[in-house]
């Protein structure tokens, strides 16, 4: 409700600028500001102009927000069970999540950090989004037609899988101008069974490529040092990861030993060619081809798969500018941002640039603790300063001029205090060729005094900033459940979600109530059922103790928003079926007695009456 607290005196639609912008409580002001166009307080019934996809952190889901209001609309479960939809309860969701031989979930905790969406022609195309699970090294895909998770890939050979980024087109095939790969950075080194270039095994990090369609792991690259966050170029040729642990250390003090670490570039076409040519090895636990991206194996630029660009001490994020020219690596322990020109990196790979570090075209001071960078449509970058609790707005072209000796080039345009210790930030369509320079969300790691106290665990404070003018204007505070880390923001026109499923998409669908019944084959029992408000197609389900039951439920209601739930008392079963959706659960009828099964989703005036009995005979 933070957005309702008198943020904006709005009197009209989002398209019309309000008469005045009054920052929350009058306490946060940016003196001298004129009127800006972003309205955060929508009138009842008004729709937001942007979707935000928010990483869910420990809850292992993706949260869908409407922006600029900041209202949370949906949570899409991925890595962690979810009691609303029965994620981790239904057979269909368990198959996506992965199970042990006894049918239980392989993992039921997660730690998601980064979410990014698929591209076409350099802009989002509304097909897919992806999210990582750092804890158990998984990558989940969300299909944006239904806003559901449909596949999860397991990355072999890595721990601490952190950054992700989809490619923006194919590096070789002219016709493929959309995302076909997702790159994943393994942060923690783990011992590999037999080293990489022969010799003793050292703990190693790997960079992983996952196929965007099949979600199979395509290949991996062993590197020196670690991987962390990922950026991809618009021509599809390059991906990069920031490295804070070039020391290959296992303890933090040693991870800070070197004055400079690296931004590590991957030549995607060459890696694909090496894999095709069979120049890889595999490890016993997987069939995934692994190529050698270490320093020593990539000395000759003309054949190198990787290039290590030196950047100051323990850098954090790496981000691609929307003009397609640069990657920006934020310094974290250094107060700087390093701007790397991509055409020069390609020149190095072609043998036309002598030293790879000459690809650095600027290294400028921004403030203390720079972490992540977002962009507008006017050549400006916005970088979070964790230690300074600020967002700094700076001009990339001016920074390059300054770096080349023009000391009059004022690259810092504006600074804004945020509350407090910001990590990620992102602007509308920031990392696409079409940023619109309107709104910027900032994920502040600490909220301290910004919300009512609720004991030791504070929410995080996500702040919304209007970046449409020269000066940034703070618009709103939003408490969020920890710990989202990252998010993207895109225009609502991009997606046209379907609101009713297609019966034929479900092989198990019970298409007619007449097909309902309890079908026995020895101990194995299949229960087929349909739901149509306010009734299930069976009045009771008769079973024998010890039956191995699979219950299939199809919701035959066709009306938008008419969802039913199905829960079995004392049997740990609860899930929903959306209109025309089919879901199934399997369980052993191990407790004799009479158990009420009821609809858990309010569907009808007779919702409470929508219940049947399961009778288990001893
Ligand atoms: Cu994206 Cu928080 Cu995982 Cu930076 S990391 S803050
Ligand atoms: Cu069906 Cu409630
Ligand atoms: Ca380091």
């Amino acid at each position: 409700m933070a957005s309702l607290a008198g943020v904006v005196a709005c009197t009209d639609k989002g398209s019309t600028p309000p008469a005045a912008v009054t920052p929350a409580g009058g306490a946060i002001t940016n003196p001298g500001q004129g009127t800006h166009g972003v309205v955060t307080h929508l009138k009842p019934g008004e729709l937001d102009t942007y979707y935000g996809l928010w990483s869910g952190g420990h809850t292992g889901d993706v949260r869908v927000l409407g922006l600029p209001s900041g209202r949370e609309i949906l949570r899409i479960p991925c890595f962690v069970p979810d009691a609303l939809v029965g994620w981790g309860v239904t057979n269909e969701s368990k198959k996506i999540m992965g199970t042990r031989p006894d049918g239980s979930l392989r993992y039921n905790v997660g730690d998601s950090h980064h979410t990014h969406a698929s591209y076409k022609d350099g802009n989002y195309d509304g097909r897919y989004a992806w999210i990582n699970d750092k804890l158990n090294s998984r990558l989940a895909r969300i299909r944006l037609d239904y806003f559901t998770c449909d596949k999860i890939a397991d990355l072999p050979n890595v721990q601490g899988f952190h950054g992700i980024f989809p490619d923006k087109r194919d590096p070789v095939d002219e016709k493929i101008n959309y995302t076909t790969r997702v790159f994943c950075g393994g942060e923690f080194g783990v011992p590999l069974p037999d080293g990489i270039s022969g010799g003793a095994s050292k703990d190693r990090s790997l960079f992983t490529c996952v196929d965007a369609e099949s979600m199979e792991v395509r290949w991996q690259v062993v590197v020196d040092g670690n991987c962390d966050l990922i950026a991809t170029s618009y021509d599809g040729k390059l991906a990069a990861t920031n490295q804070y642990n070039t020391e290959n250390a296992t303890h933090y003090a040693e991870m800070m030993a070197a004055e400079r670490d690296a931004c590590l570039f991957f030549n995607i076409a060459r890696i694909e060619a090496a894999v095709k040519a069979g120049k890889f090895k595999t490890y016993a636990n997987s069939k995934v081809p692994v190529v050698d991206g270490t320093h020593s194996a990539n000395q000759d630029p003309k054949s190198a798969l990787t290039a290590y660009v030196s950047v100051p001490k323990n850098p954090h994020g790496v981000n691609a500018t929307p003009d397609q020219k640069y990657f920006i690596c934020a310094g974290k322990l250094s107060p700087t941002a390093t701007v790397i020109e991509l055409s020069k990196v390609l020149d190095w790979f072609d043998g036309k640039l002598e030293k790879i570090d000459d690809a650095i075209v600027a290294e400028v001071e921004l403030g203390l603790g720079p972490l992540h960078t977002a962009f507008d449509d006017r050549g400006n970058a916005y970088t979070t300063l964790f230690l300074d609790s600020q967002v700094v707005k700076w001009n990339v072209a001016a920074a390059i001029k300054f770096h080349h000796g023009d000391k009059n080039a004022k690259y810092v345009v504006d600074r804004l205090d945020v509350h407090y210790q910001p990590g990620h930030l992102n602007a509308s369509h920031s990392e696409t060729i079409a940023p619109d320079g309107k709104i910027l969300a900032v994920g502040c790691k600490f909220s301290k005094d910004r919300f009512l106290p609720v004991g030791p665990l504070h929410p995080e404070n996500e702040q919304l900033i209007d970046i449409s003018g020269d000066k940034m204007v703070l618009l709103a505070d939003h408490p969020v459940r920890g710990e989202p880390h990252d998010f993207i923001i895109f225009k609502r026109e991009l997606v046209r979600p379907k609101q009713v499923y297609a019966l034929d998409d479900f092989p198990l669908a019970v298409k007619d109530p007449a097909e309902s019944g309890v079908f026995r084959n020895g101990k194995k029992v299949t229960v087929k059922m349909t739901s149509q408000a306010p009734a299930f197609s069976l009045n009771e389900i008769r079973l024998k103790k010890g039956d191995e039951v699979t219950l299939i439920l199809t919701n035959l209601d066709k009306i938008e928003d008419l969802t039913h739930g199905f829960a079995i008392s004392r049997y740990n079963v609860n899930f929903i079926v959306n209109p025309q959706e089919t879901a199934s659960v399997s369980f052993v009828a191990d407790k004799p007695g009479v158990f009420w099964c009821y609809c858990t989703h309010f569907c009808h005036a007779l919702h409470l009456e929508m219940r049947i009995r399961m009778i288990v005979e001893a």
Side-chain angles (χ1 to χ4, degrees), residues 53 76 117-118 125-129 142-148 490 494-498:
L53 293 187
I76 306 166
S118 56
D125 65 0
R127 275 186 305 148
Y128 297 126
I142 311 285
R143 43 188 294 187
L144 290 173
D145 53 352
Y146 286 108
F147 278 77
T148 54
F490 54 82
L494 198 77
V495 289
R496 301 225 176 279
K498 297 177 187 165

Side-chain angles (χ1 to χ4, degrees), residues 90-91 121 158 252 415 436 521 552 569:
T90 63
N91 294 334
D121 291 326
V158 297
Y252 84 93
R415 290 178 189 277
D436 70 356
N521 179 3
I552 303 162
S569 302

Side-chain angles (χ1 to χ4, degrees), residues 533-536 562-565 599-604 606-608 610:
F536 295 108
L562 218 177
T563 295
H564 297 288
C599 177
T600 45
H601 211 82
F602 216 109
C603 55
H604 191 274
L606 290 170
H607 158 74
L608 291 173
M610 189 169 176

Side-chain angles (χ1 to χ4, degrees), residues 67 80 84 158 184 189 278 288 311 360 417 425 429 469 529 585 590:
L67 289 168
V80 174
L84 170 66
V158 297
C184 308
V288 173
V311 300
I360 295 172
D417 289 340
L425 79 177
H429 286 253
M529 225 169 45
V585 287
D590 54 359

Side-chain angles (χ1 to χ4, degrees), residues 55 111-114 116 132 134 161-164 187 228-229 316-317 332 371-372 384 386 421-425 443 445 483-487:
S55 156
D111 177 28
S112 52
H113 285 226
H114 300 110
H116 289 287
N132 76 308
K134 178 168 177 174
F161 153 39
H162 195 206
I164 63 169
E187 189 181 334
D228 195 9
L229 291 118
H316 195 59
K332 192 167 81 183
L371 292 186
H372 295 282
T384 47
F386 183 80
Q421 270 80 38
H424 276 275
L425 79 177
K445 299 291 188 189
E483 176 170 304
H485 288 274
D486 196 15
F487 36 83

Side-chain angles (χ1 to χ4, degrees), residues 243-247 254-258 260-261 313-314:
Q243 300 196 290
Y244 65 80
N245 187 18
T246 52
E247 298 89 347
E254 293 142 37
M255 292 179 200
M256 300 191 300
R260 291 181 79 92
D261 286 291
K313 209 170 181 123
N314 290 38

